[in-house]
Amino acid sequence: MNSRKGFRTITVDGRRFHWRVGGNDTSGDVPMLAFMVTPFDGLSGTLIVEFPEVWAPNRCKGSAGVVLPSHVARAVRTALVEGWRPEVHGDNFRLDAHQEEYNAPNPL
C-alpha cells in the first residue's frame, strides 16, 4: 500500500491519485484555500486547485467550504482536458475553482 500522511486516495476513470486540502504544504506551493492532487506513485506532476477568497470558512455565518471526493474527481477530469499530464514530472498545474460550481448539484 502506498500511503502518504494527510492524503486520501481516489480513483478517477481507472487512475489512482492522492489528494488533500492545502494548508500543510511545507514548500509553500499550495495555498490554504486549495487542494492538491498527485499521481498515486507520487513521482510526477501535481494538480493544484485554488479557491477564491470567499471560500474561506465564515465563522460568523456558520458556513464553510467543504471539498468532497466528487469535487476532486471533477477537477482531475477538467485538468486533464485542459492539459494536465500527471505522468510528466514538472511544474505544478493550477486550476481555479469557482464557488458557484462547488455549490451546484454537479460541482466543478
Side-chain angles (χ1 to χ4, degrees):
M1 180 171 102
N2 184 358
S3 65
R4 296 174 62 190
K5 188 176 180 178
F7 283 80
R8 297 179 67 185
T9 301
I10 188 169
T11 300
V12 179
D13 300 334
R15 296 170 77 172
R16 293 175 69 183
F17 298 92
H18 286 296
W19 70 278
R20 74 171 177 190
V21 176
N24 295 322
D25 178 47
T26 57
S27 69
D29 287 339
V30 181
M32 290 291 287
L33 299 175
F35 64 86
M36 65 184 290
V37 181
T38 61
F40 190 76
D41 63 16
L43 301 175
S44 302
T46 299
L47 168 63
I48 299 174
V49 181
E50 297 183 49
F51 296 100
E53 286 291 325
V54 296
W55 187 255
N58 183 337
R59 297 189 193 285
C60 296
K61 294 182 181 177
S63 63
V66 176
V67 178
L68 301 173
S70 60
H71 298 145
V72 176
R74 185 114 185 223
V76 167
R77 289 182 184 109
T78 299
L80 290 169
V81 167
E82 292 188 14
W84 180 42
R85 296 178 52 200
E87 69 280 358
V88 176
H89 184 72
D91 294 333
N92 294 335
F93 187 92
R94 294 186 183 270
L95 185 67
D96 289 326
H98 301 284
Q99 183 179 10
E100 312 82 55
E101 294 170 341
Y102 279 81
N103 289 332
N106 295 311
L108 191 73

